[in-house]
Amino acid sequence: MGVKNLWDVLESCKKTLPLHYLQNKRVCVDLSCWMVPLQNVNKSQCPVTSKQYLMGLFHRIRALIALNCSLIFVTDGSIPAIKLATYRRWLNLGIEATQDGANSQKLSSLRRNMGSEFSCMIKEAKYLGSAFGIPCLDGIEEAEAQCALLNLESLCDGCFSSDSDIFLFGARTVYRDICLGEGGHVVCYEMNDIEQKIGFGRSSLISLALLLGSDYSQGVRGLGLESACQIVKSVGDNHILRKIVSEGLTFARKKKNPKRQGQVKCNNTETTLSSEVNMNGDIQIPQTDNQYSHVVEAYMNPKCHSADSEVVHRSLVQRPFQREQLQQICARFFEWPPEKTDEYLLPKIAERDLRRFAHLRSTSSQLDVNIPLKEVPVKCPVSAIIKRRTVRGRECFEVTWEEFYGVKSSVVSADLVESACPEKIKEFDDRRALEKKNQRKSRPKKSGKECSVAEIDWKLQDLLLDIELGSKSSSMASREIISDKMTTATEINFMNRDPLVILDSEGNADSRAATLCRETGVTVTKHEVIDLSSPSPLVHSRNVSRCAQMNNQHISIIDLSDSETEKSPEHFCR
């Protein structure tokens, strides 16, 4: 839960960042905050025995591993004594919870039920994480408090948690939600943004928890969100806790209702907070039976493993993933064969190592240490580049990996390859250029005499014409002189060719007329009979043949129109 309505207060500081923002980062995960939504999805779609929640965790880990995002699972320990009232209120225990809340300082923390259904889900998640090489840190009490401590001590770059009170424990960077797939992103909140945009520091957020209510306090009844924010801002982050220590929450009730004076009730117990302030201005919370002091103490000094403890140091050590163990887990929970598990996982492991290699070279370059690829002490995961690819509009390379990864090839971002091994890209480009050069050399040379398209078309037309005529000859170059029944001949010179059109008395001139018309563009009606006894039409003569020019002869062109009056330019050869 965290602080009531605190995410609404922090809405203006929310940032949606692309998923690759997490690359090369170390992130703590409040494991229960990941498993609760996965459990809800599992219940809404299928029974718990299907382990759908575990498959969702598998794909989430797989996606982050490919980004070289190192995870640390943090689990809850015992329930803090101050939280027992809230915990039992969740279980609807009513009056008993209220009485425990009044005497919570006298109670010890409560050990969680490790046999519950949710606790079993946490165990399975830890088991899966260990196969991926993810360390797990069991918290003393609150998991979000342990995550916040690691982040505050700069032992991790951020925390995954949906509990808003993680800021009250001291976290600086919090990832509330994560989305995978196309357009994958994380929802991020930075404490620097909260301080600059809203003006709330850690002390102000603790004050809001006291005013609005949280896991550790019920808040001031009837006090709204805006009023609580105005009260905290009016006092200021540097003085708000000191004022609460000295006056309790009486000043808040006065601002809410000036007519009513008196003390504020918290957990049905009238309390007034006193405090001592040392010379440095730090608040010294006295050890008294005061509910407010215990709330502030619980947030400021939660029970956690210290940053220099051996437990924390072990959780920061990177571990290799256990391939066989992961295959067994997937076979047990998902009924996957080993090949399917390898298909999902091995390319991501190779991509993770490539990012580590790129990070190594980038760090070396920043230190002005430029080491050639072959001299880098760590071997480059990429063996060679096969070809370029475009995936969802992004430039990528299909690469082959070194043999020890157990995967032949996969597709990775071109930017990643460029940052990790630009030498491989140069080798690929040089190899492609050489292949293209060899292809050009191996092409057969064209013959010296090349026919133009027009000439080829003309030859094809001649061939088709010979087929139609049933001629055995494939060339139209020779000219035939046909029988003595010929009465009139017309010779036409066209494109240095002189085919004869022979008209016999029976009008069998179809074939050669077709040739003449094809070459001259004249249309002739089939089986047209020419009456040679009729008067001759007007003669249009011209020199059309080289033979005729040599003999000074004029060749007459016969008008093939039906009558003298139907003279059209179409009936004259030009």
Side-chain angles (χ1 to χ4, degrees):
M1 171 187 167
V3 181
K4 184 180 179 181
N5 297 327
L6 184 57
W7 290 121
D8 296 333
V9 176
L10 306 180
E11 181 66 23
S12 61
C13 301
K14 181 175 73 174
K15 295 186 293 187
T16 301
L17 304 173
L19 196 61
H20 64 77
Y21 177 81
L22 296 176
Q23 72 174 354
N24 303 324
K25 294 185 183 297
R26 175 185 286 154
V27 182
C28 292
V29 179
D30 183 351
L31 190 56
S32 62
C33 290
W34 267 15
M35 296 307 295
V36 167
L38 292 174
Q39 180 191 29
N40 294 335
V41 172
N42 194 100
K43 288 182 177 180
S44 63
Q45 295 183 355
C46 48
V48 179
T49 54
S50 68
K51 307 297 181 181
Q52 193 70 25
Y53 60 89
L54 209 58
M55 187 179 295
L57 181 63
F58 174 90
H59 289 294
R60 184 173 292 186
I61 295 173
R62 170 176 167 265
L64 293 176
I65 279 182
L67 295 173
N68 190 30
C69 179
S70 301
L71 301 177
I72 302 175
F73 284 169
V74 182
T75 60
D76 290 307
S78 300
I79 302 171
I82 197 172
K83 193 177 180 179
L84 288 178
T86 303
Y87 187 75
R88 288 173 176 169
R89 191 164 55 248
W90 290 345
L91 300 177
N92 297 320
L93 296 182
I95 298 175
E96 182 183 353
T98 302
Q99 292 175 351
D100 287 342
N103 301 313
S104 61
Q105 64 272 18
K106 299 178 182 179
L107 300 176
S108 61
S109 58
L110 180 65
R111 192 169 182 269
R112 296 180 187 272
N113 181 10
M114 303 307 293
S116 65
E117 179 183 308
F118 187 75
S119 295
C120 292
M121 292 173 60
I122 294 294
K123 289 180 182 178
E124 292 172 348
K126 292 169 61 177
Y127 184 43
L128 178 64
S130 65
F132 275 103
I134 298 174
C136 183
L137 178 60
D138 295 324
I140 297 177
E141 289 186 346
E142 301 275 43
E144 63 266 31
Q146 187 69 64
C147 291
L149 176 65
L150 296 179
N151 188 213
L152 185 62
E153 295 292 336
S154 300
L155 296 179
C156 68
D157 299 301
C159 312
F160 269 106
S161 180
S162 57
D163 287 338
S164 58
D165 56 0
I166 191 171
F167 292 106
L168 284 64
F169 291 118
R172 303 297 300 177
T173 302
V174 177
Y175 305 105
R176 184 184 180 188
D177 198 8
I178 181 173
C179 178
L180 304 181
E182 187 176 357
H185 63 271
V186 289
V187 178
C188 177
Y189 296 83
E190 297 275 358
M191 194 63 190
N192 290 336
D193 296 335
I194 296 172
E195 294 169 348
Q196 295 174 6
K197 293 182 179 180
I198 305 178
F200 287 165
R202 185 179 178 185
S203 298
S204 297
L205 297 179
I206 294 175
S207 302
L208 284 176
L210 291 168
L211 294 171
L212 297 174
S214 67
D215 294 344
Y216 296 168
S217 64
Q218 295 186 31
V220 178
R221 184 174 299 176
L223 185 64
L225 179 62
E226 294 184 3
S227 300
C229 292
Q230 290 175 1
I231 291 171
V232 174
K233 285 185 177 181
S234 64
V235 178
D237 185 72
N238 296 328
H239 306 287
I240 185 65
L241 282 184
R242 186 180 295 109
K243 193 173 183 65
I244 292 176
V245 167
S246 62
E247 301 180 17
L249 296 179
T250 307
F251 73 95
R253 181 58 61 90
K254 289 179 180 179
K255 289 181 178 294
K256 176 192 171 189
N257 187 1
K259 295 181 180 180
R260 293 188 60 183
Q261 303 292 333
Q263 297 173 324
V264 179
K265 287 187 178 181
C266 182
N267 291 334
N268 293 338
T269 303
E270 293 185 357
T271 57
T272 303
L273 196 61
S274 61
S275 68
E276 296 177 1
V277 182
N278 61 13
M279 297 300 295
N280 295 326
D282 296 331
I283 300 174
Q284 301 295 326
I285 302 175
Q287 299 297 321
T288 62
D289 291 343
N290 190 286
Q291 180 70 13
Y292 300 117
S293 64
H294 285 284
V295 172
V296 175
E297 178 71 15
Y299 284 127
M300 297 297 292
N301 299 299
K303 292 183 180 180
C304 300
H305 297 290
S306 62
D308 57 352
S309 65
E310 184 180 354
V311 176
V312 172
H313 288 169
R314 285 200 304 265
S315 68
L316 300 178
V317 177
Q318 293 182 349
R319 297 172 172 81
F321 83 101
Q322 306 296 325
R323 181 178 178 183
E324 293 183 0
Q325 182 181 350
L326 199 56
Q327 290 175 347
Q328 294 173 1
I329 292 174
C330 293
R332 174 185 171 187
F333 292 134
F334 313 143
E335 298 181 354
W336 288 354
E339 296 79 13
K340 185 173 183 178
T341 303
D342 290 345
E343 181 183 352
Y344 272 119
L345 183 62
L346 295 183
K348 299 300 180 182
I349 297 295
E351 186 176 345
R352 178 199 65 182
D353 289 351
L354 183 60
R355 290 186 188 276
R356 290 180 178 177
F357 188 81
H359 185 62
L360 174 64
R361 300 200 72 184
S362 175
T363 304
S364 301
S365 178
Q366 291 175 1
L367 298 174
D368 294 330
V369 180
N370 298 317
I371 305 175
L373 180 63
K374 295 182 179 179
E375 298 179 8
V376 177
V378 180
K379 190 173 184 180
C380 179
V382 174
S383 175
I385 298 176
I386 301 176
K387 58 183 175 181
R388 296 181 183 273
R389 291 280 190 104
T390 301
V391 180
R392 296 173 182 171
R394 294 181 59 191
E395 293 295 327
C396 299
F397 285 113
E398 183 178 351
V399 301
T400 57
W401 303 100
E402 293 294 338
E403 294 182 359
F404 54 85
Y405 285 104
V407 58
K408 292 183 179 180
S409 65
S410 64
V411 178
V412 294
S413 169
D415 294 336
L416 176 58
V417 180
E418 175 68 29
S419 60
C421 47
E423 297 87 348
K424 297 288 184 180
I425 299 178
K426 187 177 184 303
E427 291 177 5
F428 170 72
D429 292 337
D430 293 344
R431 187 171 68 250
R432 290 296 303 274
L434 182 61
E435 290 175 357
K436 290 181 179 180
K437 185 176 180 180
N438 294 335
Q439 287 177 359
R440 285 195 297 267
K441 288 182 178 180
S442 62
R443 288 177 183 173
K445 295 183 179 180
K446 297 182 179 179
S447 58
K449 294 182 180 180
E450 296 181 359
C451 299
S452 64
V453 176
E455 292 174 340
I456 294 174
D457 184 66
W458 181 260
K459 291 180 179 180
L460 288 174
Q461 290 182 14
D462 283 345
L463 181 60
L464 291 174
L465 183 59
D466 287 339
I467 293 174
E468 291 176 1
L469 295 175
S471 173
K472 296 181 180 180
S473 173
S474 62
S475 174
M476 295 294 294
S478 62
R479 297 172 179 80
E480 298 177 306
I481 299 176
I482 310 185
S483 64
D484 296 334
K485 295 181 180 180
M486 203 179 295
T487 57
T488 306
T490 303
E491 179 178 343
I492 300 176
N493 179 24
F494 183 74
M495 296 289 291
N496 294 329
R497 302 180 61 176
D498 303 322
L500 280 175
V501 177
I502 308 300
L503 302 179
D504 59 17
S505 58
E506 297 177 1
N508 295 325
D510 293 346
S511 300
R512 291 302 173 181
T515 302
L516 177 63
C517 294
R518 176 176 57 80
E519 296 179 351
T520 59
V522 178
T523 303
V524 179
T525 306
K526 277 190 172 185
H527 304 290
E528 184 177 4
V529 179
I530 300 175
D531 186 4
L532 299 179
S533 62
S534 62
S536 300
L538 294 177
V539 177
H540 300 273
S541 62
R542 61 172 176 158
N543 297 334
V544 295
S545 174
R546 287 179 298 195
C547 298
Q549 290 174 2
M550 295 174 61
N551 299 326
N552 293 325
Q553 296 179 357
H554 292 279
I555 305 300
S556 298
I557 298 175
I558 301 174
D559 188 358
L560 301 179
S561 60
D562 293 337
S563 64
E564 295 181 1
T565 59
E566 296 178 356
K567 297 176 183 178
S568 170
E570 295 178 329
H571 297 281
F572 298 97
C573 296
R574 305 193 178 194

